[in-house]
Amino acid sequence: MTGSKAKTPSGRSTETKPRAKRGEYIRRYFTAQRIATLAMLTAIGYALSFLEFTIFPPASFLKMDFSNVATMLGGYMLGPVGAIVIEGVKQALCLITSTSGGVGQLANFMVTVCFIIVPSVLYKFKKGLPWVAAGMGVGCVLQVAASLVANRYINFPLYMGDQAAEMFSSLFPFIIAFNVIKGVAISALTLLLYKRLSKAMKWLFRDRKKSAKAGEAEDNDGKSFAKNEKEVYNDGMQKTITRSEDETRAFARGLAENFKGGEVVLLNGDLGAGKTVFAKGVAEALGVKEDVKSPTFTLSCEYEGRLRLVHIDAYRLKNGEEAEACGIGERFGDKSAVCLVEWPSQIESILPAHAIEVTIERTGDNEREITVKC
């Protein structure tokens, strides 16, 4: 019958998937720790916005402040979404004392987003000082360009009326120099502060009780899985019940601790089943130090460890051909990496025959049944 909606095996319409996945992403992103970090950085940025001074007397309207350091730090710590939220809330707070009716805040928001978006996005995929410096350099260039546009078409027409074009022609060298100096200064301060602040935040939000439980789970569940490893590979299937995220991670560590490279793990499960938790356990076994997140909007993320971890989310791919066009098929032949694939049914036609299939089913609030097929 035409016009019918495709149904999942559980009978739910597939049209609800994108909405559910977006809701799941928002719920996972805005955790209590992230909200606290966002609030702290926003408050710091807002406070710093009052400490402003003039660099070029002929262009006294160009006020230098270091509030964007907080925004840039948010971009590196929380990603581009976090940086945009911090800057948006900061500019909204600045409206309280503004006399521009919000026009100045809008222009500042546009310029700052152009400055931080490339560095924060690039940092999600490429770590290391050369890449960070390159991202900041591109950010500075975009900031200069955005500032010229914002001043020429927003600020100058608002404040100078018919003389806007003439005044802009005489002052645009100062605008360029100001934004170059500001971009370099903000970038340098961010480089100096990021690692220190990141470590301080991890210490501030540490959960010793959870860490202790994780260690206990690793000792018990990880070892018990290692004992049954031959059974898993000989019989081709094992079912295990876990009763907490720590146990799920420990089970995943036990599975991955003997990986040699070239393994492909297919992660099946509904939203909230624990696929990302499982991926974190695999990452720990591979020596990955970064926090593993589901690559919902980026298709794949890579993490360095004793083996490189390639984490793929195939949900938004239509078929194997589209995955091949994105270069995903090439990852499966990499002997120096381990590939984790969420929603593998979307690209079933290109999956390797030797893949390890993991299915996670929710059997209770915290209980999961994990099936491993080799």
Side-chain angles (χ1 to χ4, degrees):
M1 179 178 177
T2 59
S4 61
K5 298 178 181 178
K7 300 285 185 178
T8 64
S10 60
R12 290 175 293 180
S13 170
T14 56
E15 288 189 359
T16 63
K17 272 188 176 182
R19 183 180 299 175
K21 197 165 180 67
R22 284 194 297 270
E24 176 70 11
Y25 173 77
I26 293 172
R27 184 184 66 80
R28 286 186 300 177
Y29 184 85
F30 288 101
T31 61
Q33 178 176 334
R34 280 201 179 96
I35 292 172
T37 304
L38 286 168
M40 184 195 71
L41 291 174
T42 301
I44 292 173
Y46 180 59
L48 289 174
S49 68
F50 289 96
L51 304 176
E52 57 183 18
F53 54 93
T54 300
I55 297 179
F56 302 114
S60 58
F61 63 93
L62 296 173
K63 302 291 186 181
M64 178 73 172
D65 68 70
F66 296 101
S67 63
N68 285 353
V69 172
T71 307
M72 183 69 91
L73 287 170
Y76 284 119
M77 295 173 66
L78 304 170
V81 174
I84 292 171
V85 170
I86 290 169
E87 186 61 23
V89 176
K90 184 186 77 177
Q91 294 301 335
L93 291 172
C94 288
L95 282 171
I96 299 172
T97 56
S98 172
T99 58
S100 68
V103 176
Q105 283 66 46
L106 176 61
N108 288 338
F109 177 78
M110 292 168 51
V111 172
T112 303
V113 168
C114 289
F115 175 52
I116 57 91
I117 194 69
V118 170
S120 58
V121 170
L122 183 62
Y123 190 72
K124 290 173 67 67
F125 304 98
K126 296 291 185 180
K127 305 296 190 291
L129 185 59
W131 288 105
V132 171
M136 288 178 170
V138 173
C140 288
V141 172
L142 292 177
Q143 175 176 268
V144 171
S147 181
L148 289 172
V149 172
N151 279 288
R152 176 63 183 87
Y153 296 104
I154 299 178
N155 292 338
F156 275 58
L158 176 66
Y159 294 109
M160 300 178 185
D162 296 337
Q163 297 181 328
E166 181 181 351
M167 292 297 295
F168 180 79
S169 298
S170 62
L171 292 175
F172 84 88
F174 293 104
I175 296 174
I176 294 174
F178 171 82
N179 281 280
V180 169
I181 293 171
K182 183 175 182 178
V184 171
I186 297 297
S187 298
L189 283 172
T190 301
L191 285 173
L192 289 173
L193 295 174
Y194 170 64
K195 289 297 183 183
R196 294 174 176 83
L197 183 61
S198 180
K199 290 179 181 178
M201 293 300 294
K202 288 179 180 178
W203 179 86
L204 181 63
F205 292 110
R206 73 196 186 283
D207 189 340
R208 294 177 179 175
K209 184 176 180 180
K210 184 175 180 180
S211 298
K213 288 184 177 179
E216 183 180 348
E218 180 177 5
D219 290 339
N220 296 331
D221 293 53
K223 290 178 181 178
S224 65
F225 182 84
K227 292 178 182 178
N228 294 328
E229 188 176 355
K230 289 184 179 179
E231 180 183 341
V232 173
Y233 284 90
N234 289 338
D235 296 347
M237 178 185 293
Q238 177 176 336
K239 287 190 177 182
T240 299
I241 299 294
T242 62
R243 293 176 174 82
S244 68
E245 289 189 0
D246 294 332
E247 290 185 9
T248 299
R249 290 172 71 157
F251 182 86
R253 282 194 296 270
L255 174 66
E257 63 184 5
N258 292 320
F259 281 176
K260 305 298 184 184
E263 290 85 0
V264 178
V265 180
L266 312 179
L267 291 177
N268 297 289
D270 293 333
L271 291 171
K275 297 187 294 294
T276 301
V277 172
F278 192 94
K280 290 182 178 182
V282 173
E284 290 168 4
L286 299 182
V288 173
K289 302 300 183 184
E290 300 173 56
D291 183 29
V292 173
K293 302 176 183 178
S294 180
T296 306
F297 299 108
T298 56
L299 292 183
S300 69
C301 290
E302 295 190 16
Y303 306 90
E304 295 298 330
R306 65 175 180 85
L307 293 170
R308 190 169 70 260
L309 174 63
V310 181
H311 191 187
I312 299 167
D313 188 328
Y315 179 81
R316 294 192 295 128
L317 296 174
K318 296 178 181 178
N319 48 47
E321 288 74 15
E322 187 175 356
E324 286 282 17
C326 295
I328 288 178
E330 300 173 2
R331 310 290 184 88
F332 298 149
D334 189 346
K335 297 299 183 182
S336 64
V338 172
C339 291
L340 289 176
V341 185
E342 295 189 29
W343 304 97
S345 60
Q346 302 289 97
I347 57 172
E348 189 173 2
S349 62
I350 66 167
L351 296 176
H354 68 275
I356 301 169
E357 186 173 356
V358 176
T359 302
I360 306 175
E361 295 183 76
R362 186 198 299 265
T363 54
D365 289 341
N366 297 311
E367 189 176 271
R368 301 291 186 270
E369 181 182 82
I370 304 175
T371 303
V372 179
K373 296 180 182 179
C374 303

